[in-house]
mmCIF file with all atom_site columns, all heavy atoms in Angstrom:
data_model
loop_
_atom_site.group_PDB
_atom_site.id
_atom_site.type_symbol
_atom_site.label_atom_id
_atom_site.label_alt_id
_atom_site.label_comp_id
_atom_site.label_asym_id
_atom_site.label_entity_id
_atom_site.label_seq_id
_atom_site.pdbx_PDB_ins_code
_atom_site.Cartn_x
_atom_site.Cartn_y
_atom_site.Cartn_z
_atom_site.occupancy
_atom_site.B_iso_or_equiv
_atom_site.pdbx_formal_charge
_atom_site.auth_seq_id
_atom_site.auth_comp_id
_atom_site.auth_asym_id
_atom_site.auth_atom_id
_atom_site.pdbx_PDB_model_num
ATOM 1  N N   . PHE X 1 29 ? -109.276 136.014 108.715 1.00 90.00 ? 190 PHE X N   1
ATOM 2  C CA  . PHE X 1 29 ? -108.982 137.167 109.633 1.00 90.00 ? 190 PHE X CA  1
ATOM 3  C C   . PHE X 1 29 ? -107.939 136.869 110.708 1.00 90.00 ? 190 PHE X C   1
ATOM 4  O O   . PHE X 1 29 ? -107.878 137.585 111.657 1.00 90.00 ? 190 PHE X O   1
ATOM 5  C CB  . PHE X 1 29 ? -110.275 137.661 110.218 1.00 90.00 ? 190 PHE X CB  1
ATOM 6  C CG  . PHE X 1 29 ? -111.358 138.099 109.244 1.00 90.00 ? 190 PHE X CG  1
ATOM 7  C CD1 . PHE X 1 29 ? -112.478 137.273 109.127 1.00 90.00 ? 190 PHE X CD1 1
ATOM 8  C CD2 . PHE X 1 29 ? -111.213 139.158 108.514 1.00 90.00 ? 190 PHE X CD2 1
ATOM 9  C CE1 . PHE X 1 29 ? -113.435 137.685 108.166 1.00 90.00 ? 190 PHE X CE1 1
ATOM 10 C CE2 . PHE X 1 29 ? -112.161 139.528 107.521 1.00 90.00 ? 190 PHE X CE2 1
ATOM 11 C CZ  . PHE X 1 29 ? -113.205 138.804 107.402 1.00 90.00 ? 190 PHE X CZ  1
ATOM 12 N N   . LEU X 1 30 ? -107.220 135.759 110.532 1.00 87.00 ? 191 LEU X N   1
ATOM 13 C CA  . LEU X 1 30 ? -106.298 135.316 111.594 1.00 87.00 ? 191 LEU X CA  1
ATOM 14 C C   . LEU X 1 30 ? -104.896 135.801 111.368 1.00 87.00 ? 191 LEU X C   1
ATOM 15 O O   . LEU X 1 30 ? -103.935 135.450 112.072 1.00 87.00 ? 191 LEU X O   1
ATOM 16 C CB  . LEU X 1 30 ? -106.277 133.829 111.682 1.00 87.00 ? 191 LEU X CB  1
ATOM 17 C CG  . LEU X 1 30 ? -107.492 133.070 111.821 1.00 87.00 ? 191 LEU X CG  1
ATOM 18 C CD1 . LEU X 1 30 ? -107.364 131.557 112.006 1.00 87.00 ? 191 LEU X CD1 1
ATOM 19 C CD2 . LEU X 1 30 ? -108.304 133.693 113.116 1.00 87.00 ? 191 LEU X CD2 1
ATOM 20 N N   . LYS X 1 31 ? -104.641 136.740 110.326 1.00 81.00 ? 192 LYS X N   1
ATOM 21 C CA  . LYS X 1 31 ? -103.297 137.156 110.037 1.00 81.00 ? 192 LYS X CA  1
ATOM 22 C C   . LYS X 1 31 ? -102.734 138.078 111.179 1.00 81.00 ? 192 LYS X C   1
ATOM 23 O O   . LYS X 1 31 ? -101.552 138.224 111.265 1.00 81.00 ? 192 LYS X O   1
ATOM 24 C CB  . LYS X 1 31 ? -103.312 137.799 108.667 1.00 81.00 ? 192 LYS X CB  1
ATOM 25 C CG  . LYS X 1 31 ? -103.648 136.927 107.563 1.00 81.00 ? 192 LYS X CG  1
ATOM 26 C CD  . LYS X 1 31 ? -103.768 137.502 106.209 1.00 81.00 ? 192 LYS X CD  1
ATOM 27 C CE  . LYS X 1 31 ? -104.253 136.697 105.146 1.00 81.00 ? 192 LYS X CE  1
ATOM 28 N NZ  . LYS X 1 31 ? -104.560 137.378 103.897 1.00 81.00 ? 192 LYS X NZ  1
ATOM 29 N N   . THR X 1 32 ? -103.653 138.838 111.743 1.00 78.00 ? 193 THR X N   1
ATOM 30 C CA  . THR X 1 32 ? -103.184 139.767 112.769 1.00 78.00 ? 193 THR X CA  1
ATOM 31 C C   . THR X 1 32 ? -102.792 139.041 114.144 1.00 78.00 ? 193 THR X C   1
ATOM 32 O O   . THR X 1 32 ? -103.382 138.074 114.402 1.00 78.00 ? 193 THR X O   1
ATOM 33 C CB  . THR X 1 32 ? -104.265 140.798 112.952 1.00 78.00 ? 193 THR X CB  1
ATOM 34 O OG1 . THR X 1 32 ? -103.770 141.764 113.911 1.00 78.00 ? 193 THR X OG1 1
ATOM 35 C CG2 . THR X 1 32 ? -105.564 140.250 113.508 1.00 78.00 ? 193 THR X CG2 1
ATOM 36 N N   . ILE X 1 33 ? -101.938 139.752 114.813 1.00 75.00 ? 194 ILE X N   1
ATOM 37 C CA  . ILE X 1 33 ? -101.622 139.250 116.189 1.00 75.00 ? 194 ILE X CA  1
ATOM 38 C C   . ILE X 1 33 ? -102.172 140.366 117.180 1.00 75.00 ? 194 ILE X C   1
ATOM 39 O O   . ILE X 1 33 ? -101.926 140.323 118.494 1.00 75.00 ? 194 ILE X O   1
ATOM 40 C CB  . ILE X 1 33 ? -100.137 139.085 116.395 1.00 75.00 ? 194 ILE X CB  1
ATOM 41 C CG1 . ILE X 1 33 ? -99.426  140.263 116.090 1.00 75.00 ? 194 ILE X CG1 1
ATOM 42 C CG2 . ILE X 1 33 ? -99.708  137.897 115.647 1.00 75.00 ? 194 ILE X CG2 1
ATOM 43 C CD1 . ILE X 1 33 ? -97.907  140.173 116.572 1.00 75.00 ? 194 ILE X CD1 1
ATOM 44 N N   . LYS X 1 34 ? -102.885 141.376 116.685 1.00 76.00 ? 195 LYS X N   1
ATOM 45 C CA  . LYS X 1 34 ? -103.563 142.393 117.520 1.00 76.00 ? 195 LYS X CA  1
ATOM 46 C C   . LYS X 1 34 ? -104.890 141.887 118.108 1.00 76.00 ? 195 LYS X C   1
ATOM 47 O O   . LYS X 1 34 ? -105.590 141.153 117.357 1.00 76.00 ? 195 LYS X O   1
ATOM 48 C CB  . LYS X 1 34 ? -103.694 143.694 116.772 1.00 76.00 ? 195 LYS X CB  1
ATOM 49 C CG  . LYS X 1 34 ? -102.407 144.364 116.365 1.00 76.00 ? 195 LYS X CG  1
ATOM 50 C CD  . LYS X 1 34 ? -102.654 145.662 115.605 1.00 76.00 ? 195 LYS X CD  1
ATOM 51 C CE  . LYS X 1 34 ? -101.363 146.260 115.213 1.00 76.00 ? 195 LYS X CE  1
ATOM 52 N NZ  . LYS X 1 34 ? -101.575 147.550 114.401 1.00 76.00 ? 195 LYS X NZ  1
ATOM 53 N N   . ARG X 1 35 ? -105.234 142.267 119.210 1.00 76.00 ? 196 ARG X N   1
ATOM 54 C CA  . ARG X 1 35 ? -106.481 141.847 119.855 1.00 76.00 ? 196 ARG X CA  1
ATOM 55 C C   . ARG X 1 35 ? -107.642 142.784 119.480 1.00 76.00 ? 196 ARG X C   1
ATOM 56 O O   . ARG X 1 35 ? -108.722 142.484 119.696 1.00 76.00 ? 196 ARG X O   1
ATOM 57 C CB  . ARG X 1 35 ? -106.295 141.775 121.347 1.00 76.00 ? 196 ARG X CB  1
ATOM 58 C CG  . ARG X 1 35 ? -105.382 140.794 121.848 1.00 76.00 ? 196 ARG X CG  1
ATOM 59 C CD  . ARG X 1 35 ? -105.421 140.598 123.379 1.00 76.00 ? 196 ARG X CD  1
ATOM 60 N NE  . ARG X 1 35 ? -104.329 139.703 123.838 1.00 76.00 ? 196 ARG X NE  1
ATOM 61 C CZ  . ARG X 1 35 ? -104.270 139.103 125.020 1.00 76.00 ? 196 ARG X CZ  1
ATOM 62 N NH1 . ARG X 1 35 ? -105.315 139.324 125.855 1.00 76.00 ? 196 ARG X NH1 1
ATOM 63 N NH2 . ARG X 1 35 ? -103.304 138.372 125.368 1.00 76.00 ? 196 ARG X NH2 1
ATOM 64 N N   . SER X 1 36 ? -107.254 143.901 118.989 1.00 82.00 ? 197 SER X N   1
ATOM 65 C CA  . SER X 1 36 ? -108.362 144.938 118.585 1.00 82.00 ? 197 SER X CA  1
ATOM 66 C C   . SER X 1 36 ? -108.723 144.826 117.114 1.00 82.00 ? 197 SER X C   1
ATOM 67 O O   . SER X 1 36 ? -107.820 144.502 116.261 1.00 82.00 ? 197 SER X O   1
ATOM 68 C CB  . SER X 1 36 ? -107.861 146.411 118.980 1.00 82.00 ? 197 SER X CB  1
ATOM 69 O OG  . SER X 1 36 ? -106.692 146.650 118.313 1.00 82.00 ? 197 SER X OG  1
ATOM 70 N N   . GLY X 1 37 ? -109.850 145.221 116.832 1.00 90.00 ? 198 GLY X N   1
ATOM 71 C CA  . GLY X 1 37 ? -110.364 145.316 115.371 1.00 90.00 ? 198 GLY X CA  1
ATOM 72 C C   . GLY X 1 37 ? -110.929 144.117 114.829 1.00 90.00 ? 198 GLY X C   1
ATOM 73 O O   . GLY X 1 37 ? -111.634 144.233 113.884 1.00 90.00 ? 198 GLY X O   1
ATOM 74 N N   . LEU X 1 38 ? -110.918 142.988 115.686 1.00 94.00 ? 199 LEU X N   1
ATOM 75 C CA  . LEU X 1 38 ? -111.623 141.736 115.127 1.00 94.00 ? 199 LEU X CA  1
ATOM 76 C C   . LEU X 1 38 ? -113.048 141.773 115.360 1.00 94.00 ? 199 LEU X C   1
ATOM 77 O O   . LEU X 1 38 ? -113.677 140.853 114.709 1.00 94.00 ? 199 LEU X O   1
ATOM 78 C CB  . LEU X 1 38 ? -110.848 140.583 115.846 1.00 94.00 ? 199 LEU X CB  1
ATOM 79 C CG  . LEU X 1 38 ? -109.460 140.256 115.481 1.00 94.00 ? 199 LEU X CG  1
ATOM 80 C CD1 . LEU X 1 38 ? -108.758 139.218 116.401 1.00 94.00 ? 199 LEU X CD1 1
ATOM 81 C CD2 . LEU X 1 38 ? -109.441 139.665 114.134 1.00 94.00 ? 199 LEU X CD2 1
ATOM 82 N N   . GLY X 1 39 ? -113.489 142.561 116.311 1.00 95.00 ? 200 GLY X N   1
ATOM 83 C CA  . GLY X 1 39 ? -115.007 142.590 116.382 1.00 95.00 ? 200 GLY X CA  1
ATOM 84 C C   . GLY X 1 39 ? -115.811 142.917 115.237 1.00 95.00 ? 200 GLY X C   1
ATOM 85 O O   . GLY X 1 39 ? -116.878 142.442 115.028 1.00 95.00 ? 200 GLY X O   1
ATOM 86 N N   . ALA X 1 40 ? -115.287 143.635 114.258 1.00 94.00 ? 201 ALA X N   1
ATOM 87 C CA  . ALA X 1 40 ? -115.902 143.953 113.020 1.00 94.00 ? 201 ALA X CA  1
ATOM 88 C C   . ALA X 1 40 ? -116.203 142.738 112.170 1.00 94.00 ? 201 ALA X C   1
ATOM 89 O O   . ALA X 1 40 ? -117.040 142.750 111.356 1.00 94.00 ? 201 ALA X O   1
ATOM 90 C CB  . ALA X 1 40 ? -114.994 144.939 112.285 1.00 94.00 ? 201 ALA X CB  1
ATOM 91 N N   . ASN X 1 41 ? -115.519 141.688 112.367 1.00 95.00 ? 202 ASN X N   1
ATOM 92 C CA  . ASN X 1 41 ? -115.578 140.407 111.589 1.00 95.00 ? 202 ASN X CA  1
ATOM 93 C C   . ASN X 1 41 ? -116.159 139.278 112.433 1.00 95.00 ? 202 ASN X C   1
ATOM 94 O O   . ASN X 1 41 ? -116.144 138.027 112.001 1.00 95.00 ? 202 ASN X O   1
ATOM 95 C CB  . ASN X 1 41 ? -114.263 140.046 110.981 1.00 95.00 ? 202 ASN X CB  1
ATOM 96 C CG  . ASN X 1 41 ? -113.765 141.137 110.061 1.00 95.00 ? 202 ASN X CG  1
ATOM 97 O OD1 . ASN X 1 41 ? -112.717 141.855 110.443 1.00 95.00 ? 202 ASN X OD1 1
ATOM 98 N ND2 . ASN X 1 41 ? -114.418 141.446 108.998 1.00 95.00 ? 202 ASN X ND2 1
#
Side-chain angles (χ1 to χ4, degrees):
F190 302 110
L191 305 185
K192 298 174 184 177
T193 182
I194 57 171
K195 295 181 180 179
R196 299 187 185 197
S197 60
L199 289 168
N202 302 110

